[in-house]
Amino acid sequence: MSDHEQQQPAPGRGQVLEALARAERKVFTRPAPKSAKAQMKFLLTRAKGSTKAVAERLGVSRRTVERYRAGKLTTPQKRLKAALVEQTESAWQPQVRARAREQASASGGMMVEVTAYFGFTGTGSSDDGRIRTITTPISPTYAKRILVLQEAGATEEDLHPIVAEAITESYFTEWGTRAAGLRADFTHVQAIEFLF
């Protein structure tokens, strides 16, 4: 079996993490490299030419990295293709992404649109839990918490409670003006999008 065939699977991300990554891609001012060769060259440039570092990030051998850089291999298998896209886009235009994250954390906040099952706890009566589609702003305070957790390598399970708190604050309690003590949790996420 060749090095090309012994690829490791790219690490999977949950829906919230993937939605945050999509939101960052939307702020790019130029498109990220698309071909496997261009992506490999970009990753090697970011790794200061270290084929070992790139191979470890992608879960392939150094020889595979060299073959793509030289153009001897051009069509990656599904797992390598996903890893190339993820690693390239996570390193692409770091200053543009940093500005968008800083603005969201400092003053602008973010928008979230989520379709999920929302359940409630709190004093008094409330609607029973059900599938809802909610579009609402997230305050800069919560945006900062979400982005800091994402940057620190938080899991999907770590992010769900913070996103639920943010949605509760802006949508269900309208910034503390109604439904005091209400807490909403969401599960079974069908779709989620963030916008900086």
Side-chain angles (χ1 to χ4, degrees):
M1 193 177 275
S2 73
D3 293 336
H4 182 65
E5 295 167 332
Q6 295 177 357
Q7 299 168 19
Q8 301 295 320
R13 292 194 288 197
Q15 289 183 308
V16 173
L17 290 167
E18 187 56 42
L20 288 167
R22 281 192 306 271
E24 286 183 342
R25 287 193 296 264
K26 290 177 185 175
V27 301
F28 290 161
T29 58
R30 293 180 325 216
K34 298 289 183 214
S35 73
K37 182 177 180 179
Q39 290 168 334
M40 200 65 77
K41 283 185 175 184
F42 171 74
L43 291 173
L44 283 164
T45 300
R46 299 294 290 183
K48 297 181 172 64
S50 171
T51 56
K52 180 180 178 184
V54 173
E56 288 173 359
R57 285 178 73 180
L58 297 173
V60 297
S61 70
R62 292 172 83 168
R63 185 70 187 126
T64 299
V65 172
E66 292 165 0
R67 288 177 181 158
Y68 277 100
R69 176 176 53 187
K72 293 179 182 174
L73 295 175
T74 57
T75 308
Q77 291 179 349
K78 190 175 183 178
R79 284 177 290 209
L80 178 57
K81 184 176 184 173
L84 278 168
V85 168
E86 181 179 335
Q87 292 297 321
T88 300
E89 290 182 348
S90 69
W92 187 249
Q93 292 192 324
Q95 293 171 336
V96 172
R97 276 199 329 273
R99 276 194 303 271
R101 294 168 72 88
E102 178 61 34
Q103 182 180 359
S105 298
S107 61
M110 296 188 293
M111 288 294 291
V112 63
E113 180 176 329
V114 62
T115 301
Y117 180 88
F118 283 86
F120 305 94
T121 57
T123 57
S125 63
S126 177
D127 291 340
D128 289 335
R130 66 177 186 265
I131 296 285
R132 296 173 184 246
T133 298
I134 294 173
T135 303
T136 190
I138 292 178
S139 71
T141 304
Y142 279 108
K144 183 175 185 175
R145 287 177 62 192
I146 291 166
L147 295 172
V148 165
L149 281 171
Q150 177 202 21
E151 192 76 24
T155 65
E156 193 78 1
E157 291 77 29
D158 297 332
L159 290 170
H160 268 241
I162 306 302
V163 174
E165 278 181 44
I167 293 169
T168 299
E169 178 191 60
S170 67
Y171 184 82
F172 294 109
T173 66
E174 293 180 2
W175 315 104
T177 61
R178 67 182 187 92
L182 180 74
R183 191 178 123 230
D185 293 310
F186 68 95
T187 58
H188 302 89
V189 177
Q190 294 177 359
I192 186 166
E193 291 296 327
F194 290 97
L195 182 63
F196 286 107

